[in-house]
Structures are given as structure tokens and as C-alpha cells.
């Protein structure tokens, strides 16, 4: 609570913080914590959580973190294997290689009053998806903004500038503006299983 993780590096995963035991059910709670300008060669430039329990982030900032811009790195800002809940948190200006420059979630994810802004996926591979948020599961989003995220590569298989969700999505009163996929599909959203989209603002997204 109330911590600052800044300018740390990792030769593998979790530049700022790594909760790395995939056999554990330990749960990460972060409140009023800032994660800034950390870097990892592998996954989770800012924070990586591999445990089987979902994360809980409240009133945080995850900014300017990065993973390697080449290859299959994922989760420039946050990588959470078991999904979780993110509330009143900004995830901005993070970069990654393949999936989830802002957030990579391996299971259902809930965003409430979250701002996912200006995150970029850099790699040129065939599976570059979800610059703002990549979710391998259901997505629930309410009262936030997912804007100005971009996949700049020229591969026609790139998908989901703002969001790429493999499960059902329920999105309400969320701003999707100016997300871009330079070559591919789903500038604002790519929803593999569809969903319910209610009272949202979509403007200036492009693919």
C-alpha cells in the first residue's frame, strides 16, 4: 500500500515486481501504488503475477513500463495469469511485443473507473493483439476510458487496438477513442465471443 516501484529491470519476467510461483494461490493486493518506468526482457514489464489467484488493484498508476519490443513478450504494464479486478487505476504509455501492452490477463478481468491510455504493441509477428488490454477470458468494463492505444505493425493479422477479448464482454459507459490498428481489424475492440455493449462512446478508432 502506498508504494513506489520505479526504474527496476529484470533479465526475464516482472521488471518492477514478480510474484512468480505458478503453483501458489497467493493473492496480490495493491492500493495507492505507483509502478513507473520498469523493464523486463520477458513478460510483465511493470508487474507480473503468475499465481493461480486473481489480482486486486485499487487507485494505482502503471506508467511507462516496457517488455522487449521483439518476439512474444506480453503485459508491458501488467501481466496477471489469473485475471482480477482493477479499480480507479491508470495504465498509460506502456509498451510490449506481442499481447497486452497495457494489461495482459490470462483469465476474466474486471475494470471499473480504469483508464487504459496510450499503450503500444511493437512486435511484427502474426499474433499481435490487444494494445490496451488483452484478455484470455471474459471482460467486464464499467465507467472508464480505453483510448489512444495502437498496434503500429503492418501484419494484416493484428487485432484489437483498444481491447482484444477471447471471452464474453460486458462493457458499459466506457470511452473508446482513437485506438488504432495500422494493419488488421478491430481498431477499438475485437470481441471473439461477442458481448453486451451499453451506453459507450466510440470515436475515431481505426483499423
Amino acid at each position: 500500500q502506498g508504494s513506489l516501484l520505479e526504474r527496476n529491470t529484470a533479465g526475464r519476467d516482472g521488471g518492477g515486481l514478480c510474484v512468480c510461483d505458478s503453483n501458489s494461490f497467493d493473492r496480490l493486493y495493491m492500493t495507492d501504488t505507483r509502478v513507473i518506468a520498469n523493464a523486463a526482457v520477458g513478460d510483465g514489464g511493470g508487474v507480473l503475477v503468475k499465481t493461480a489467484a486473481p489480482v486486486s488493484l485499487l487507485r494505482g498508476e502503471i506508467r511507462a513500463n516496457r517488455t522487449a519490443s521483439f518476439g512474444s513478450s506480453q503485459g508491458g504494464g501488467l501481466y496477471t495469469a489469473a485475471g482480477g479486478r482493477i479499480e480507479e487505476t491508470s495504465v498509460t504509455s506502456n509498451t510490449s511485443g506481442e499481447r497486452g501492452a497495457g494489461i495482459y490477463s490470462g483469465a476474466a478481468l474486471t475494470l471499473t473507473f480504469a483508464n487504459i491510455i496510450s499503450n503500444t504493441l511493437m512486435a511484427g509477428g502474426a499474433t499481435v493483439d490487444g494494445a490496451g488490454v488483452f484478455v484470455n477470458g471474459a471482460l467486464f468494463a464499467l465507467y472508464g476510458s480505453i483510448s489512444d492505444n495502437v498496434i503500429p505493425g503492418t501484419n494484416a493479422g493484428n487485432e484489437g487496438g483498444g481491447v482484444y477479448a477471447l471471452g464474453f464482454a460486458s462493457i458499459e459507459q466506457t470511452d473508446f477513442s482513437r485506438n488504432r490498428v495500422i494493419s488488421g481489424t478491430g481498431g477499438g475492440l475485437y470481441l471473439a465471443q461477442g458481448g453486451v455493449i451499453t451506453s459507450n462512446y466510440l470515436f475515431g478508432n481505426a483499423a
Side-chain angles (χ1 to χ4, degrees):
Q1 182 173 347
S3 299
L4 171 64
L5 306 174
E6 184 174 15
R7 298 186 185 280
N8 302 286
T9 60
R12 293 184 63 186
D13 301 327
L17 173 66
C18 184
V19 185
C20 293
D21 185 357
S22 60
N23 296 313
S24 168
F25 286 88
D26 291 341
R27 186 165 186 173
L28 176 67
Y29 294 88
M30 295 175 63
T31 303
D32 298 319
T33 296
R34 302 169 68 203
V35 182
I36 299 173
N38 301 285
V41 173
D43 297 330
V47 174
L48 180 134
V49 183
K50 283 188 175 179
T51 66
V55 303
S56 179
L57 274 62
L58 175 63
R59 295 191 305 272
E61 178 185 14
I62 300 175
R63 172 168 54 88
N65 303 283
R66 70 183 190 277
T67 65
S69 61
F70 54 86
S72 60
S73 66
Q74 303 172 118
L78 169 68
Y79 180 111
T80 171
R85 178 180 296 273
I86 299 174
E87 301 180 58
E88 299 177 45
T89 294
S90 64
V91 181
T92 61
S93 303
N94 302 284
T95 60
S96 193
E98 186 178 63
R99 292 174 175 166
I103 300 170
Y104 175 95
S105 179
L109 180 69
T110 298
L111 303 172
T112 307
F113 290 106
N115 295 312
I116 317 298
I117 310 290
S118 298
N119 301 284
T120 305
L121 282 177
M122 301 300 294
T127 56
V128 180
D129 303 317
V133 180
F134 179 97
V135 187
N136 188 9
L139 172 67
F140 304 94
L142 180 65
Y143 303 132
S145 178
I146 301 176
S147 300
D148 296 303
N149 303 287
V150 62
I151 303 176
T154 57
N155 191 310
N158 297 340
E159 295 168 329
V163 164
Y164 183 102
L166 282 170
F168 179 85
S170 175
I171 303 173
E172 184 176 352
Q173 297 190 46
T174 298
D175 172 21
F176 287 85
S177 298
R178 300 174 302 278
N179 300 288
R180 291 178 294 145
V181 178
I182 300 305
S183 180
T185 57
L189 302 96
Y190 183 96
L191 305 179
Q193 300 296 325
V196 177
I197 312 297
T198 306
S199 300
N200 299 282
Y201 177 73
L202 285 82
F203 174 79
N205 301 286

